[in-house]
Amino acid sequence: MNREQKRHQPTRCAASPSLALVKYWGKQAGGVNLPATTSIAVTLSHLETITEVRLVDSRDKQCIRVAGCLQDSERYSPFFDNLRATLDHDNWFEVDSINSFPTGAGLASSSSAFAALAFGCTRALGKPVSSGELSRIARVGSGSAARAVYGGFTRLSAGAQQAEQIAPQQHWSDLRVVIAVVDSGPKPISSRSAMSRSAETSIYYRNWIDSSEDLAQLAERAILRRDIEALGSAMRQSYLRMFCTMFTAEPPIVYWLPESVAVIRACERLRHSGIPAWETMDAGPQVKVVTTARWSGRVAEALSRETGNGEILVVGAGAEPRLIGTGAVT
Ligand code: DP6
C-alpha cells in the first residue's frame, strides 16, 4: 500500500456509553466541560457507538455524519481545535458514526460518541495516547465522554481534566443494568442546555453542588464493596437531587414521562419484595435500573409491564474503546 492509500484507509473503532450512577450536572469556569460535581459511572456492555475516521487533506473536506446525517461542525470545533493543539498535527477528518442504541435520547450517546471519536482520531493520526490523555481529549467533546474511555467503573472528579478508573470491568461481573426505553425519540432539550439553565436559574443548584461529593464517595465505596443497597441509595439521591435542579429551573425542564414514573414505582415495589432494583435517569425519559444477574429477568419482566411496547435492554459493565479494523459503517 502506498502512502496516499494508507492516508485514506479508514480507522474503525467502537466505544460504549458511560452511565452515571452519581451525576455530572453543571460546569466549573476556567476550562471546557470541567465538571462542577464528581460523577461515578459504569461503562455499559453491548451498547456501542461505531465510528470510522478518515484523514482528509483540507478543512473544507472535514465532516461528521451520525447515521448518515451531517452534523453541525460548530459543535465539534472545540474538540478538533484542542486535538490539533494537543497532538500538534495539522490534519482534517471525515467521520461516520452509528449507534447501536437510540441517539440523543438520554442514553449517554455523547459519551460513547466522543470517546470513540477521540480514540479513532488518535489512531488515525498514528499517535496513540495514554488513557488519561485520551480522557482529557474526549472531555473537550463532552464531559461524560471523559469517563467512557475506560471500561468498568469510573470517577470524574469535580474540576478534573480527566477521569480515572476505580475498578475494572470484571470487578462486579454479576452487576446488571436493565434499561427501559420508554421513548426513543430525541430529547426536547440537550443535556448541555439543560445543565446550564439549571445552573443559572435553579435556587437548588448550589445545594446540588455542595452535596454531591459525599454521594460520590458513598457510591465509590459501595462499588468497591459490591454493595448494591448502598450504591442504590446513593444513586437514588443523586438523580433525584439533579432533577430537583431541573424541575426548579426557569422555565422548568421535565424529561420525565408517565411511563418513567410507572417504572420508578415498579422499582419501589420490587425492592419491597426483596429484589434489588435501583433506578436512575439522565437527560431523557428512559429509566436505567441497577440489579444483579440473578434478578435481571424478573426486573426486565416487571419493567416491560410498565412500558407497553417499550424496548427493554439488559447490559452489564463494559470494556474500554477498541479498534475494529476498517470498513464502512453506514
Ligand atoms: C445527565 O456529558 O452530555 O448524563 O459535557 O455538556 O457534553 P456536556 O454534557 P454531557 O452531560 C451528561 C449529563 C448526564 C449525567 C452524566 O452522564 O454524568
Side-chain angles (χ1 to χ4, degrees), residues 18-20 22-25 27 33 39 75 108 110-111 139 141-145 147 191-192 195 242 246 281-283:
S18 167
L19 170 67
V22 166
K23 309 296 181 184
Y24 148 52
W25 193 252
K27 299 180 205 270
N33 299 336
S39 53
R75 168 72 182 88
S110 71
S111 67
R139 191 205 80 242
S142 196
S144 52
R147 303 182 311 239
S191 49
R192 183 161 295 186
M195 199 182 281
M242 174 182 76
M246 293 190 231
M281 292 177 68
D282 292 285

Side-chain angles (χ1 to χ4, degrees), residues 59-292:
R59 180 194 275 268
D60 45 311
K61 287 193 190 150
Q62 174 153 301
C63 60
I64 297 99
R65 287 179 291 263
V66 177
C69 291
L70 203 57
Q71 303 295 297
D72 175 9
S73 60
E74 282 296 299
R75 168 72 182 88
Y76 291 81
S77 4
F79 173 87
F80 285 115
D81 291 349
N82 174 66
L83 188 74
R84 182 163 291 108
T86 308
L87 297 183
D88 189 23
H89 73 90
D90 56 1
N91 290 274
W92 307 95
F93 302 91
E94 182 184 355
V95 180
D96 272 293
S97 200
I98 52 166
N99 291 318
S100 71
F101 57 95
T103 304
L107 287 174
S109 55
S110 71
S111 67
S112 49
F114 280 101
L117 187 60
F119 186 78
C121 290
T122 55
R123 295 303 173 113
L125 291 168
K127 294 190 173 190
V129 295
S130 68
S131 305
E133 187 67 70
L134 194 63
S135 175
R136 294 161 87 98
I137 293 171
R139 191 205 80 242
V140 174
S142 196
S144 52
R147 303 182 311 239
V149 306
Y150 302 95
F153 300 85
T154 57
R155 175 187 40 226
L156 176 60
S157 297
Q161 305 266 356
Q162 65 186 61
E164 57 199 296
Q165 189 183 55
I166 57 176
Q169 182 186 5
Q170 301 75 15
H171 166 72
W172 198 343
S173 51
D174 77 331
L175 186 88
R176 293 291 178 275
V177 181
V178 182
I179 303 173
V181 183
V182 308
D183 184 326
S184 58
K187 50 190 153 200
I189 166 171
S190 73
S191 49
R192 183 161 295 186
S193 312
M195 199 182 281
S196 88
R197 192 192 296 169
S198 306
E200 282 156 20
T201 63
S202 170
I203 59 162
Y204 296 119
Y205 182 72
R206 199 63 253 165
N207 296 68
W208 156 250
I209 301 298
D210 293 345
S211 66
S212 67
E213 189 60 39
D214 287 352
L215 286 182
Q217 286 181 20
L218 283 173
E220 182 169 344
R221 283 200 294 269
I223 288 169
L224 295 177
R225 297 194 310 270
R226 298 184 201 89
D227 179 344
I228 197 163
E229 310 292 319
L231 175 62
S233 118
M235 279 170 54
R236 185 170 55 183
Q237 279 302 321
S238 179
Y239 90 89
L240 290 172
R241 288 180 196 177
M242 174 182 76
F243 277 104
C244 273
T245 72
M246 293 190 231
F247 294 151
T248 53
E250 181 54 39
I253 302 149
V254 184
Y255 287 115
W256 295 20
L257 291 177
E259 293 85 350
S260 319
V261 179
V263 171
I264 292 172
R265 295 214 155 147
C267 289
E268 202 179 331
R269 287 196 296 275
L270 286 165
R271 290 195 300 272
H272 279 146
S273 67
I275 297 175
W278 296 94
E279 79 281 358
T280 186
M281 292 177 68
D282 292 285
Q286 330 313 342
V287 188
K288 298 101 179 189
V289 181
V290 171
T291 186
T292 58

